[in-house]
Amino acid sequence: MKGKMILMLGLLASVSWQAQLKVLFDATKAESAGNADWVIDADVHNLNFNATGVTTSGSESNPQRFPTPAQNTITATTPETYWQGALSNWGIDLVKQGYIVETLPYNGSITYGNSSNIQDLSNYKVFVIDEPNIKFTDSEKTALLNFVANGGGLFIISDHNQSDRNNDGWDSPNIWNDFFTNNGVVANPFGVSFDLNSVSPSTSNFAPISMNPAILAGPQGTPTQMKYSSGATMTLNKNSNPSVQGLVFTSSASNTGSTNVMFATATYGNGRICALGDSSVPDDGTGDPNDTLYNGYSSDANGNHRPLLVNAVIWLAGSGSSNLNVQNVIKEKNAEVYPNPVTDYIYIKNNTFSTYRLMDETGKTLSSESLQENSSINVKNLPAGIYYLLLQSDKEVKSIKVMKK
């Protein structure tokens, strides 16, 4: 009972600390058509998606804005079956990390800067679009670009070619490529394009951790495997976006190259994107009873998809450059953190961030308090290892990797 109470207190502290960091999952682009069910929770299944529109006479998931039961009832031991959706495991894991999750329902609007839209993207830190099956309109493309440019994190998920689930002539890799090349703002803004193929590789061919330690060795662990179950690879173009980099590759590719990429990241303006070529990776195998689903999230690749996807959202919720460098004194926009490595106390000189959270590699919160101009964190009793210090203000979060000797 005591252990459970400690876990609950830790979860509540996490939720309080990151209360304004909201993650939105899209459901406006027929993400539950056919055998897809890329939603975190749906209480009814009365939709039908077809080439001419959406009706309410079918049997597909019709997710509501807020998942039920309410996310403030989730504890550290809540199972993913608490919600019904093929992305429920991912969503519940994010709540356990302190994020608020919502769905943009099928009749919602993708906008940025529209104060009359209660779910305008300016109200969210991360937007997840898992296998869209309806083309983005011109205004939606502009909204997505503005969202990222102004500090948002966009998680782009595709599937293999010829995966047109609602039979409207467009599948997800073509829809994403159309957004990249025909947005009316900038050609190939993220330096990513999806290959029109269908491949099913299993790989341990990851980029060096130094390429992006926040994702490759982040709070939820160090992922080392990935499995596609019919997905599309990517080709990267650093001339279009010099920041783009592959983090996972097929086994035959270079782990620092630009082809045969399975997972990629880039920055754009003040924001970030992650790109993944297979919707099977976040699929947890549960959801709409009318669909055929299987567990790729925690079973495939020996469970390595789970830390990769959660670490990725944590990284997307930050802002700025893609690398977190470990050094003796880390300067983060009017804040200094030192020493690093550390033996007894972490010292923080700061006039920007209001709170901190110290986590171990599993994502467990060890301490979370408000910050003064000069603050210190006692780590004497912590075992040697890697920890993560998250600094937060009203507008941003910075993640710093700290080594305890």
Side-chain angles (χ1 to χ4, degrees):
M1 183 66 182
K2 181 179 179 182
K4 186 177 293 186
M5 181 63 70
I6 291 173
L7 286 172
M8 271 297 295
L9 290 173
L11 179 65
L12 289 172
S14 174
V15 170
S16 174
W17 186 84
Q18 289 192 165
Q20 77 276 29
L21 292 184
K22 297 192 291 185
V23 179
L24 183 65
F25 286 79
D26 186 64
T28 68
K29 298 300 177 185
E31 282 94 340
S32 58
N35 270 329
D37 194 51
W38 316 132
V39 301
I40 53 176
D41 179 59
D43 292 346
V44 295
H45 305 87
N46 65 349
L47 292 183
N48 177 52
F49 299 93
N50 52 48
T52 59
V54 180
T55 68
T56 55
S57 60
S59 60
E60 303 293 355
S61 291
N62 184 1
Q64 66 284 351
R65 177 183 177 185
F66 296 107
T68 56
Q71 52 200 293
N72 62 6
T73 63
I74 290 176
T75 71
T77 58
T78 297
E80 59 95 1
T81 52
Y82 203 58
W83 293 342
Q84 187 181 73
L87 304 184
S88 61
N89 208 339
W90 194 9
I92 287 173
D93 277 349
L94 293 176
V95 172
K96 291 177 181 179
Q97 291 301 305
Y99 295 92
I100 294 172
V101 297
E102 293 182 17
T103 294
L104 185 63
Y106 82 93
N107 56 356
S109 299
I110 298 175
T111 65
Y112 185 83
N114 182 352
S115 59
S116 65
N117 180 8
I118 195 171
Q119 288 191 283
D120 186 80
L121 293 181
S122 62
N123 297 314
Y124 302 88
K125 194 59 181 171
V126 177
F127 189 29
V128 180
I129 307 179
D130 189 342
E131 196 188 338
N133 276 277
I134 298 174
K135 275 183 65 178
F136 298 104
T137 66
D138 290 345
S139 63
E140 289 171 337
K141 294 172 184 177
T142 301
L144 292 173
L145 288 174
N146 286 337
F147 169 66
V148 180
N150 285 282
L154 179 63
F155 209 130
I156 295 166
I157 303 176
S158 181
D159 203 25
H160 59 88
N161 71 327
Q162 299 181 351
S163 56
D164 179 9
R165 298 182 186 270
N166 61 333
N167 299 311
D168 68 347
W170 286 87
D171 57 19
S172 57
N174 278 297
I175 288 170
W176 282 121
N177 287 344
D178 174 70
F179 167 48
F180 300 150
T181 59
N182 298 308
N183 56 64
V185 179
V186 57
N188 203 358
F190 311 131
V192 173
S193 64
F194 285 101
D195 304 320
L196 301 182
N197 59 9
S198 179
V199 296
S200 299
S202 294
T203 186
S204 297
N205 193 13
F206 279 56
I209 288 176
S210 60
M211 296 281 283
N212 193 315
I215 294 178
L216 298 179
Q220 288 300 296
T222 301
T224 58
Q225 298 177 44
M226 175 175 277
K227 177 183 177 181
Y228 267 22
S229 298
S230 297
T233 54
M234 288 168 274
T235 297
L236 310 182
N237 187 335
K238 286 186 175 291
N239 291 326
S240 297
N241 187 323
S243 75
V244 69
Q245 56 187 20
L247 298 187
V248 186
F249 302 79
T250 61
S251 58
S252 61
S254 164
N255 70 345
T256 57
S258 297
T259 59
N260 295 306
V261 179
M262 299 169 69
F263 186 93
T265 63
T267 60
Y268 177 76
N270 292 320
R272 299 170 168 179
I273 68 100
C274 287
L276 170 66
D278 186 10
S279 57
S280 300
V281 173
D283 183 354
D284 62 27
T286 67
D288 187 348
N290 303 298
D291 292 340
T292 302
L293 303 165
Y294 68 96
N295 192 344
Y297 181 73
S298 59
S299 291
D300 281 356
N302 293 313
N304 279 270
H305 293 163
R306 188 175 202 162
L308 178 72
L309 293 176
V310 177
N311 285 347
V313 171
I314 294 172
W315 179 77
L316 286 173
S319 60
S321 65
S322 60
N323 291 328
L324 300 174
N325 296 317
V326 176
Q327 50 191 329
N328 189 48
V329 178
I330 296 180
K331 295 185 178 181
E332 286 287 358
K333 194 177 179 181
N334 299 323
E336 292 184 0
V337 177
Y338 62 96
N340 192 4
V342 62
T343 55
D344 48 13
Y345 288 89
I346 300 172
Y347 296 96
I348 304 171
K349 289 185 177 181
N350 156 74
N351 58 13
T352 297
F353 298 97
S354 57
T355 58
Y356 81 85
R357 181 160 66 121
L358 184 66
M359 302 183 301
D360 64 15
E361 284 191 287
T362 70
K364 178 183 177 182
T365 298
L366 304 175
S367 60
S368 176
E369 294 181 7
S370 60
L371 281 171
Q372 308 302 320
E373 185 173 342
N374 292 284
S375 299
S376 63
I377 307 172
N378 186 346
V379 295
K380 287 182 179 179
N381 296 325
L382 295 180
I386 300 298
Y387 297 86
Y388 289 85
L389 179 65
L390 275 71
L391 306 179
Q392 182 192 20
S393 70
D394 291 336
K395 297 181 178 179
E396 63 180 330
V397 175
K398 290 290 185 180
S399 175
I400 299 172
K401 186 177 180 180
V402 179
M403 180 181 297
K404 169 67 184 333
K405 296 194 297 185

